[in-house]
Amino acid sequence: MSTRKHRRQETTGIEENNQVKIPHQTLTEPAAFSEEITCRCKAPHERLTIAQARLGTPIDRPVRVYADGIFDLFHSGHARALMQAKNLFPNTYLIVGVCSDELTHQCKGFTVMNEIERYDALRHCRYVDEVVRDAPWTLSPEFLEKHKIDFVAHDDIPYSSAGSDDVYKHIKEAGMFVPTQRTEGISTSDLITRIVRDYDVYARRNLQRGYTAKELNVSFINEKKYRFQNQVDKMKEKVKNVEEKSKEFVYKVEEKSHDLIQKWEEKSREFIGNFLELFGPDGTWKQVFQERGGRMLQALSPRQSPTGSPTRERPQSPNSEWHFPRTSPPSSPKAASASICGISDGEEDEK
């Protein structure tokens, strides 16, 4: 936050008390190339000690820190190292040196990105204030004086190159070296190793995206092989999609079947319950039959008169010749039929 505040406040080279403010690039602009600007530090350049730099310096006298490298395939490990270099001191002006293609190929090896691309990548890193193109491999006193460098920031691992066990040895002996920490798990060599390891995958992908075999430096036979493999992968993908859709369909059918079976079981239980309620041992229909049967029996066998009630004697007609014995009404259908049979027998006897 403080760094961003400084970068916004320090805008133009206005002199105040014989001191000139050092303009830093804003976060909305790319960093400048060193040959496009001159060192605006007008105060006499006396190298600072680390203790002095950590105490803080005036705005017109920032601590000028230099970090160099190849920065091929610019990645988060590079950005973290530059962030550490930028935050070494309260008031830091970070200069980044980038070696050219010719020097890099001679001293280290072939690069993926060319020098123009690597220069431009550094210009758009938020921690960088100035970019030195075609930076030297070994830092000479003349180079350090020209750019008024106070400290050099790099990781502390000895960097053997150009016939030296450590190209930063003289910087360390001069007390100008400030170490930074490497980010584990990410480096340009790691990225290149991934590409080489998965070369077939990337070659097939780029052929599928429209690159020619010549652009990819792929032989005729390998081109046909990769294209065939792409077709096979497409077929596998289609089969996989069909299988997934089939599984999804089967799952839906099973889910629907389960719901139907569950509903059928519920309806079956409801039907059986209703049936038992009507026709079971204690069901409604049994009660209805019992009530109707009782009414029918009651209708066929009416109640007898009370035994203690007086009987009314019918007056005998004087003209009547036949005298029938008085009998009580039959108490049941069987008794009625028996009495009828008795009358019939008597009549037959009389005849």
Side-chain angles (χ1 to χ4, degrees), residues 259-269:
D259 293 340
L260 289 173
I261 291 171
Q262 188 175 4
K263 290 180 180 179
W264 184 83
E265 289 177 350
E266 293 175 357
K267 292 292 182 182
S268 300
R269 285 194 292 268

Side-chain angles (χ1 to χ4, degrees), residues 269-280:
R269 285 194 292 268
E270 183 179 355
F271 176 78
I272 292 170
N274 294 335
F275 182 85
L276 292 176
E277 186 177 353
L278 288 173
F279 303 104

Side-chain angles (χ1 to χ4, degrees), residues 27 29 55 69 71 119 123 146 152 194 204 211 228 241 246 253 305:
L27 292 177
E29 300 175 3
L55 286 174
F71 301 104
Y119 297 153
R123 290 188 70 196
K146 175 183 176 181
V152 176
R194 296 182 201 175
R204 288 167 52 191
Y211 287 87
F228 177 74
N241 293 335
S246 301
V253 170
S305 298

Side-chain angles (χ1 to χ4, degrees), residues 142-155:
E142 293 77 17
F143 180 84
L144 297 174
E145 182 62 30
K146 175 183 176 181
H147 295 280
K148 300 186 182 298
I149 296 170
D150 293 308
F151 299 100
V152 176
H154 201 273
D155 61 79

Side-chain angles (χ1 to χ4, degrees), residues 54-317:
R54 286 177 177 167
L55 286 174
T57 57
I59 292 177
D60 67 315
R61 178 61 172 91
V63 181
R64 296 174 67 84
V65 177
Y66 178 81
D68 58 354
I70 310 302
F71 301 104
D72 192 19
L73 295 176
F74 190 81
H75 52 74
S76 61
H78 295 139
R80 286 175 179 271
L82 297 176
M83 179 184 69
Q84 293 177 55
K86 179 68 177 178
N87 290 282
L88 286 171
F89 308 108
N91 184 17
T92 300
Y93 184 85
L94 181 60
I95 307 166
V96 179
V98 184
C99 300
S100 65
D101 286 346
E102 181 181 359
L103 185 61
T104 303
H105 298 167
Q106 177 183 349
C107 298
K108 188 173 183 179
F110 192 73
T111 58
V112 177
M113 301 169 64
N114 59 46
E115 59 186 25
I116 304 300
E117 294 168 335
R118 294 186 286 113
Y119 297 153
D120 200 50
L122 267 299
R123 290 188 70 196
H124 291 86
C125 178
R126 63 183 300 181
Y127 310 113
V128 179
D129 295 298
E130 183 179 330
V131 176
V132 178
R133 292 184 284 192
D134 193 15
W137 199 261
T138 303
L139 303 180
S140 63
E142 293 77 17
F143 180 84
L144 297 174
E145 182 62 30
K146 175 183 176 181
H147 295 280
K148 300 186 182 298
I149 296 170
D150 293 308
F151 299 100
V152 176
H154 201 273
D155 61 79
D156 201 17
I157 300 173
Y159 196 82
S160 58
S161 181
S164 173
D165 294 335
D166 189 359
V167 294
Y168 297 105
K169 183 179 179 180
H170 63 292
I171 303 296
K172 294 175 181 178
E173 291 174 351
M176 297 174 62
F177 187 85
V178 184
T180 57
Q181 298 296 321
R182 291 178 65 90
T183 301
E184 296 297 330
I186 182 71
S187 68
T188 302
S189 299
D190 291 338
L191 296 177
I192 294 174
T193 299
R194 296 182 201 175
I195 296 171
V196 173
R197 180 190 61 200
D198 301 323
Y199 168 77
D200 289 351
V201 176
Y202 295 124
R204 288 167 52 191
R205 183 190 68 176
N206 285 1
L207 282 172
Q208 192 172 3
R209 292 183 176 181
Y211 287 87
T212 64
K214 185 177 180 181
E215 290 173 328
L216 297 173
N217 194 27
V218 173
S219 66
F220 176 81
I221 295 176
N222 284 337
E223 178 190 4
K224 298 303 179 184
K225 181 183 73 174
Y226 293 149
R227 293 192 184 279
F228 177 74
Q229 288 175 342
N230 287 336
Q231 294 297 326
V232 171
D233 289 345
K234 286 182 180 179
M235 291 299 298
K236 287 182 179 179
E237 189 68 24
K238 289 182 180 179
V239 172
K240 183 179 178 181
N241 293 335
V242 171
E243 288 180 351
E244 290 178 354
K245 290 181 179 179
S246 301
K247 289 179 181 178
E248 185 178 356
F249 175 75
V250 171
Y251 175 76
K252 288 182 178 179
V253 170
E254 289 179 351
E255 188 176 8
K256 290 289 184 182
S257 302
H258 179 73
D259 293 340
L260 289 173
I261 291 171
Q262 188 175 4
K263 290 180 180 179
W264 184 83
E265 289 177 350
E266 293 175 357
K267 292 292 182 182
S268 300
R269 285 194 292 268
E270 183 179 355
F271 176 78
I272 292 170
N274 294 335
F275 182 85
L276 292 176
E277 186 177 353
L278 288 173
F279 303 104
D282 299 324
T284 306
W285 280 104
K286 181 178 180 181
Q287 297 177 4
V288 171
F289 287 144
Q290 287 177 349
E291 291 177 0
R292 290 184 177 180
R295 290 175 184 174
M296 292 176 66
L297 290 173
Q298 193 174 17
L300 292 173
S301 57
R303 293 180 180 179
Q304 295 180 359
S305 298
T307 57
S309 62
T311 58
R312 181 180 299 178
E313 296 181 356
R314 292 181 62 183
Q316 295 182 359
S317 174

